[in-house]
Amino acid sequence: MSKTQKIKFANQEVKMVAPFDSRDEHYRSPFGAVEQGTNIHLTIRVPRDLHCSYAELAVKYDYSYNWQYHKMYWYGMHNDEYDKWECDFKPEDIGLYWYGFRLRTQYGDRYINPTDVDTKSCIAESPGRAWQITCYKKGFTTPSWPVGGVMYQIFPDRFCFSGEKKDINRNDITIMDDWYGLPQWWPNENGEITNTDFFQGDLKGITQKLSYLKKLGVTCIYLNPISKAYSNHRYDTGDYSEVDPMLGTEEDFVTLCKEASKLGIHIINDGVYSHTGSDSKYFNRSGNYGNGGAYRDKNSPYYSWYKFNEWPNNYNSWWGFYTLPEVHEEDPNFNEYINGENGIVRKWMRLGNSGWRLDVADELPDGFLENLRKAVKAENPQGLVIGEVWEDASNKESYGARRKFLLGDQLDSVMNYVFRNAILDFCRGTDAKYVMDTILSVLENYPKPVIRVLMNLLSTHDTERILTMIAGEPLNGRDRKWQAEHKLNKEQRERGLTLMRIATGIQYTLPGFPCVYYGDEAGMEGYRDPFNRCGYPWGNEDQDLIQWHTQLGEMRQTVSALWDGDFRPVYAKGNVLSYLRYDKESGIYCAFNTGDVDVIMDIPAALYDSKPLMGTEIINDRVVVPAKGTAFIAM
């Protein structure tokens, strides 16, 4: 070892005693979101020189204007430094509560407010921000089968072509001859991006590759839309009830689900319910479905689904795309069609899928989400419902209201873009203390049933590839032509592959389960759509990276602490991030170093006599975290 940095936990700088820390069990127990009726014990530490004579817990229920004050009781003093005050609070209504503390001192009223990641809280002359309590529905549970597993996202047209030619009765598409070439990224003669180039990936192709996915440790496949549609991405649904003929048949889907199940792999589908395609049997702007459809017939059974300002050409569309007319999700006819006993949701579950990922879930009304959840759980209590939400889903606001995604009546989980952003920030040089704070904010705000099935991703069909994100030149608004012409050079790629091992090491060990976007494990690059949607590089994979993902998958299978275990931060400063996962059966210490020198760290006492994993080196009872590397020790 040449240059090294030694870190001894016992010698970390001593911090001032905080008045309150919502993430420390000595101040608040239990930590995090709570089930209805759970008693929360709160403790504050008030400096003695304030001469506090009375302390109160201040609480208000989300949008209520009225704060309620609960008397706190003096519990003693610590030397001449501070007094301890304590109380209990039991939230009974599901939703968010906001809280802080008011003190009566010889200098007048003072308030304990949250501040930044370093000081946790401060004492101020006026009230400020408040801490959040998420109170979720009593008895809320989520499916057990995703816990401890690995998800794999497949964009069906680009994963694998079985070789079986389809009889497609369309003359408005382009069949791409070069599987390894770029998708069509240029506009047509009308200046439109049509997404009508097809590489012919299909359901049989996915079935052929199930053994490969099994070796990766995959336990769930998330399919981007497979329903009949005009485009290659299929978010412009043409017929919810049919498999797109480019992908195969309904029988092919049933076979995929059955063969995957034999290997312990579940399938979940993409539910696109905020809009349909304009070229659909429901809207039928192009006339490809005869004379019916809301665009052509006001008496159509689908007319009430849509929001016409002036029929037929003036209608609400998703983000202004005229090819994606918005659906009125609360329309009884639409709800019955999607969520009814014989509706779309239950149809595909009866054919073998295990749940749904909901496109733009934050644009779906509460009532629709609640109906969809009921449909899923009625068909299969272990059915999984995951929503696309890019922000903190516990306190998200949209359409003028606080959303109720995670309170027990709507979603089981969300796509965890918050963790993704934290991991990317860490790999790009952000101080680990801010990264840890982001991680802890999710663990503090999300219900435990949600945390255990969080979908932890690094890239998707909507983002740049992770390898490009952490090593490539920033996009900075550059156009498609620039994106098409730019790939990582040799030096960038080598650096990216090194950092990607750190990113995936974190992804595979945080609470929840990892979701690998097809081809990330093989070293695929790419800027935004469509460059993040190229064909999987069969025969040209980065085998070392695949082996790394395989080892991570094996580690998840063998270390139960990674299934549903608790999380405890250990060290987060500068280039070094480390934490402990543990349950009653096992524990694992995970450390990551984005710096340019090796780091030698004390092993947490709970993990003495443990074994190193994934090539981790231990010297004189200390763990070596290599420069731009990882370390894992299991108990």
Side-chain angles (χ1 to χ4, degrees):
M1 224 182 297
S2 52
K3 296 181 179 179
T4 62
Q5 175 188 3
K6 294 183 179 180
I7 296 176
K8 284 179 65 67
F9 301 141
N11 291 341
Q12 293 184 51
E13 59 181 289
V14 177
K15 294 184 178 180
M16 297 292 291
V17 174
F20 182 72
D21 184 348
S22 64
R23 298 170 184 170
D24 186 329
E25 64 181 5
H26 294 99
Y27 292 88
R28 189 198 143 171
S29 180
F31 166 75
V34 296
E35 191 177 52
Q36 279 178 290
T38 300
N39 190 69
I40 303 172
H41 188 71
L42 299 157
T43 300
I44 58 174
R45 290 167 166 80
V46 182
R48 296 224 73 209
D49 57 13
L50 282 180
H51 301 285
C52 179
S53 60
Y54 193 80
E56 295 172 304
L57 167 68
V59 182
K60 78 179 183 74
Y61 181 71
D62 210 4
Y63 286 118
S64 170
Y65 290 104
N66 300 318
W67 287 84
Q68 295 182 347
Y69 294 90
H70 302 262
K71 180 180 179 181
M72 303 187 75
Y73 295 89
W74 184 79
Y75 196 73
M77 59 183 179
H78 178 79
N79 298 329
D80 290 327
E81 298 178 22
Y82 58 82
D83 291 306
K84 289 175 64 177
W85 296 79
E86 300 185 358
C87 74
D88 291 327
F89 174 68
K90 183 184 294 185
E92 298 289 354
D93 296 320
I94 65 170
L96 300 189
Y97 292 80
W98 305 97
Y99 71 102
F101 305 92
R102 182 167 68 178
L103 312 174
R104 186 177 302 160
T105 77
Q106 74 172 23
Y107 307 105
D109 285 352
R110 293 292 184 268
Y111 301 86
I112 300 178
N113 302 325
T115 54
D116 58 35
V117 66
D118 290 321
T119 57
K120 305 294 183 186
S121 62
C122 70
I123 296 176
E125 294 184 3
S126 59
R129 293 163 47 210
W131 286 275
Q132 174 181 323
I133 296 173
T134 304
C135 178
Y136 57 93
K137 185 178 181 179
K138 191 172 184 63
F140 175 35
T141 60
T142 50
S144 57
W145 62 262
V147 175
V150 175
M151 180 181 275
Y152 192 85
Q153 180 189 350
I154 291 177
F155 192 83
D157 186 61
R158 311 291 161 81
F159 181 63
C160 181
F161 175 38
S162 66
E164 181 181 285
K165 296 292 184 180
K166 312 296 189 302
D167 184 15
I168 306 300
N169 190 23
R170 288 182 64 178
N171 58 11
D172 58 349
I173 63 175
T174 301
I175 300 297
M176 306 297 282
D177 296 325
D178 181 7
W179 178 265
Y180 303 99
L182 287 178
Q184 287 186 353
W185 54 267
W186 53 92
N188 64 13
E189 62 276 7
N190 298 319
E192 298 174 320
I193 301 295
T194 61
N195 294 301
T196 51
D197 56 317
F198 290 85
F199 286 72
Q200 302 183 86
D202 54 13
L203 296 177
K204 284 187 176 179
I206 298 171
T207 303
Q208 292 172 0
K209 297 299 182 180
L210 287 174
S211 59
Y212 163 70
L213 298 177
K214 178 66 175 177
K215 289 178 183 177
L216 274 182
V218 171
T219 57
C220 178
I221 296 171
Y222 151 43
L223 297 174
N224 286 113
I226 63 169
S227 292
K228 185 177 181 180
Y230 173 79
S231 71
N232 54 44
H233 57 68
R234 300 186 175 89
Y235 283 93
D236 53 342
T237 309
D239 188 341
Y240 287 112
S241 66
E242 291 187 20
V243 170
D244 192 297
M246 289 291 294
L247 295 178
T249 65
E250 189 172 290
E251 183 181 354
D252 293 338
F253 177 75
V254 172
T255 300
L256 170 61
C257 292
K258 287 182 176 177
E259 294 303 309
S261 180
K262 292 176 183 178
L263 298 175
I265 299 174
H266 294 254
I267 307 292
I268 68 169
N269 288 356
D270 211 330
V272 186
Y273 302 129
S274 70
H275 53 269
T276 67
S278 60
D279 186 13
S280 66
K281 76 174 188 179
Y282 315 108
F283 199 78
N284 197 24
R285 176 168 179 147
S286 301
N288 291 325
Y289 292 85
N291 296 320
Y295 182 84
R296 297 180 174 273
D297 181 5
K298 283 188 175 183
N299 294 316
S300 165
Y302 311 120
Y303 181 80
S304 63
W305 289 17
Y306 299 98
K307 306 169 185 176
F308 288 99
N309 300 310
E310 185 177 347
W311 183 82
N313 288 312
N314 188 345
Y315 52 88
N316 288 6
S317 57
W318 187 77
W319 286 57
F321 294 101
Y322 78 92
T323 57
L324 301 175
E326 277 189 351
V327 168
H328 179 49
E329 299 93 345
E330 293 174 313
D331 175 70
N333 294 329
F334 180 73
N335 251 286
E336 183 64 21
Y337 186 86
I338 301 297
N339 299 321
E341 185 173 351
N342 295 307
I344 294 301
V345 164
R346 296 180 74 164
K347 166 189 167 72
W348 291 103
M349 296 188 72
R350 288 167 184 165
L351 292 175
N353 92 343
S354 295
W356 296 88
R357 174 267 187 187
L358 300 180
D359 186 54
V360 292
D362 56 353
E363 297 182 19
L364 300 174
D366 289 335
F368 180 83
L369 289 173
E370 289 159 12
N371 289 337
L372 186 141
R373 180 183 182 82
K374 290 173 184 175
V376 169
K377 302 302 180 179
E379 195 63 37
N380 179 3
Q382 284 286 305
L384 182 65
V385 184
I386 298 178
E388 179 192 12
V389 182
W390 289 59
E391 306 85 2
D392 184 324
S394 72
N395 51 40
K396 165 89 178 184
E397 295 181 63
S398 60
Y399 301 98
R402 181 83 66 199
R403 301 311 303 268
K404 304 174 183 177
F405 301 129
L406 308 183
L407 301 180
D409 288 322
Q410 296 183 7
L411 305 177
D412 289 315
S413 175
V414 289
M415 301 177 74
N416 197 354
Y417 281 98
V418 181
F419 275 5
R420 170 187 179 266
N421 295 339
I423 294 170
L424 288 175
D425 286 345
F426 182 60
C427 290
R428 293 186 293 197
T430 297
D431 193 304
K433 65 184 178 182
Y434 299 110
V435 175
M436 181 64 79
D437 183 63
T438 300
I439 294 169
L440 290 174
S441 70
V442 168
L443 301 183
E444 182 173 13
N445 291 347
Y446 285 22
K448 180 70 172 176
V450 174
I451 291 170
R452 66 201 298 264
V453 291
L454 272 175
M455 179 180 167
N456 297 332
L457 52 99
L458 291 177
S459 46
T460 74
H461 63 291
D462 285 326
T463 71
E464 297 161 62
R465 290 269 179 183
I466 176 63
L467 197 55
T468 299
M469 284 291 289
I470 58 180
E473 189 173 343
L475 186 56
N476 290 338
R478 292 183 169 104
D479 62 19
R480 286 188 168 204
K481 185 175 186 300
W482 184 92
Q483 295 177 57
E485 295 171 349
H486 280 76
K487 289 190 174 183
L488 302 179
N489 60 37
K490 182 178 179 181
E491 181 181 346
Q492 287 174 325
R493 186 170 175 87
E494 288 178 355
R495 180 174 178 273
L497 290 170
T498 299
L499 289 172
M500 191 167 173
R501 284 168 167 78
I502 296 175
T504 50
I506 301 172
Q507 178 194 23
Y508 271 67
T509 56
L510 283 175
F513 59 88
C515 179
V516 179
Y517 184 44
Y518 82 100
D520 274 358
E521 82 283 8
M524 288 182 68
E525 305 173 17
Y527 284 95
R528 294 181 183 169
D529 166 23
F531 308 104
N532 57 356
R533 302 176 182 180
C534 293
Y536 183 99
W538 299 110
N540 299 311
E541 306 95 320
D542 186 313
Q543 293 296 340
D544 288 341
L545 193 58
I546 287 178
Q547 181 61 23
W548 172 258
H549 280 79
T550 302
Q551 290 177 319
L552 287 173
E554 291 171 350
M555 185 169 72
R556 284 188 63 80
Q557 291 172 2
T558 57
V559 181
S560 66
L562 294 175
W563 304 350
D564 204 8
D566 289 333
F567 177 93
R568 191 184 80 195
V570 176
Y571 187 89
K573 189 175 182 180
N575 297 316
V576 180
L577 178 76
S578 69
Y579 47 81
L580 187 66
R581 297 290 309 281
Y582 59 95
D583 61 15
K584 293 179 180 179
E585 305 297 328
S586 67
I588 182 168
Y589 175 63
C590 311
F592 309 93
N593 174 16
T594 58
D596 296 323
V597 298
D598 297 347
V599 170
I600 299 177
M601 305 182 74
D602 289 345
I603 298 174
L607 288 176
Y608 286 158
D609 301 323
S610 298
K611 63 177 181 179
L613 302 175
M614 305 278 288
T616 297
E617 184 179 11
I618 295 178
I619 299 177
N620 297 327
D621 294 325
R622 291 181 180 175
V623 61
V624 178
V625 192
K628 290 188 169 55
T630 65
F632 304 100
I633 308 172
M635 179 174 70

